[in-house]
Amino acid sequence: METTPTAHATSWSPYCGEAPSPAHWLMHWNWDPVLLAMLAALIVAGARYSPRTMRSQVGFVGAMVILFVTPLCALGSALFVARSVHHLALAFVLAPLLVAAVGKKVYPPLPLGAATLVQAAVFWAWHLPTLYELAMSNDAVFWTMQVTITASAAAWWAAVRRSGALKAGASLLAQMVQMGVLGALLVFAGRALYAPHFGTIAAWGLTPLEDQQIAGLVMWVVGGGFYLLFASARLWRALGPDPQPRAA
């Protein structure tokens, strides 16, 4: 029977606040005035300088609110699986919205192969236990994590959009493989790796290892599945049958 790891002496103070209990997590909203002011400034600046992409900008800010203001933010302080979902949302939701909102103005051409390697390396780096612990105990490191995951994923999505179907499909499949490997490592690690959750998970009826294994499955199945879906759609549009002519 697995023994639950004990949290060491480090005092974790994650940006999203203390880990909530199952009974009260819906009350844990993040009213950080700096974050709210920044989001408001983004909307004002976008409406003034780039009204053509306003819909994407509103989507980006809305996703930021969901991820960093609502109780989902605090849930990531308690559950590693919630943090893994949060990271997938950065890559699959926030990053594409950022590309649509700013496009070529911010993201200069980057070779698809390089963008693929950078995005995967950044994602893996922040799941190293040491860096993850730093992010959960220091606000500056936490935001560095969020910005680098989102920015590297946005640069990769921009490169995918510029690439032909075969190259884009190959990159998407490569991302599926690396996400599956990371998820599998977390599932089969045999021990819990993320100390910030050692003392927060019991209230949720899980052990730290079970939480980690579920998070690994989310990355492996959900994250890898999204990449496979996008790859299939991109290749189908390029290689599928020609559309039928419309009836007169």
Side-chain angles (χ1 to χ4, degrees):
M1 180 178 181
E2 181 215 348
T3 58
T4 301
T6 56
H8 45 66
T10 302
S11 177
W12 308 108
S13 49
Y15 167 78
C16 293
E18 295 181 359
S21 67
H24 301 102
W25 76 274
L26 287 173
M27 301 172 61
H28 285 247
W29 291 70
N30 175 32
W31 302 116
D32 179 1
V34 175
L35 174 63
L36 296 176
M38 183 196 73
L39 295 178
L42 286 176
I43 289 293
V44 173
R48 180 174 181 180
Y49 296 109
S50 186
R52 289 182 298 176
T53 63
M54 198 63 205
R55 180 177 298 180
S56 297
Q57 294 174 49
V58 171
F60 177 83
V61 172
M64 286 283 291
V65 169
I66 292 172
L67 292 173
F68 297 105
V69 178
T70 73
L72 290 177
C73 187
L75 197 61
S77 298
L79 299 166
F80 180 62
V81 63
R83 182 60 57 199
S84 69
V85 171
H86 193 278
H87 288 173
L88 292 181
L90 295 179
F92 290 119
V93 179
L94 203 62
L97 286 171
L98 180 60
V99 172
V102 302
K104 296 179 181 179
K105 295 180 181 179
V106 173
Y107 290 99
L110 184 67
L112 181 58
T116 303
L117 290 174
V118 169
Q119 196 273 337
V122 168
F123 199 85
W124 274 68
W126 286 115
H127 290 86
L128 295 174
T130 301
L131 287 182
Y132 185 85
E133 291 175 14
L134 286 175
M136 292 295 284
S137 59
N138 182 284
D139 288 357
V141 180
F142 174 85
W143 280 110
T144 300
M145 171 196 278
Q146 312 310 309
V147 170
T148 53
I149 290 177
T150 303
S152 62
W156 175 75
W157 282 113
V160 167
R161 290 176 62 178
R162 291 191 304 268
S163 301
L166 291 179
K167 288 184 177 180
S171 178
L172 284 158
L173 292 175
Q175 294 285 42
M176 178 193 73
V177 171
Q178 66 86 15
M179 184 68 73
V181 171
L182 176 58
L185 287 175
L186 295 178
V187 170
F188 298 113
R191 63 186 181 90
L193 301 173
Y194 299 98
H197 301 289
F198 287 177
T200 65
I201 199 67
W204 294 83
L206 297 169
T207 66
L209 181 57
E210 290 169 341
D211 179 40
Q212 178 179 299
Q213 289 171 329
I214 296 171
L217 285 173
V218 168
M219 293 183 190
W220 190 352
V221 178
V222 179
F226 273 127
Y227 284 125
L228 179 59
L229 179 63
F230 293 139
S232 300
R234 186 67 182 269
L235 292 172
W236 173 256
R237 285 198 299 268
L239 304 176
D242 294 331
Q244 295 296 322
R246 295 181 180 179

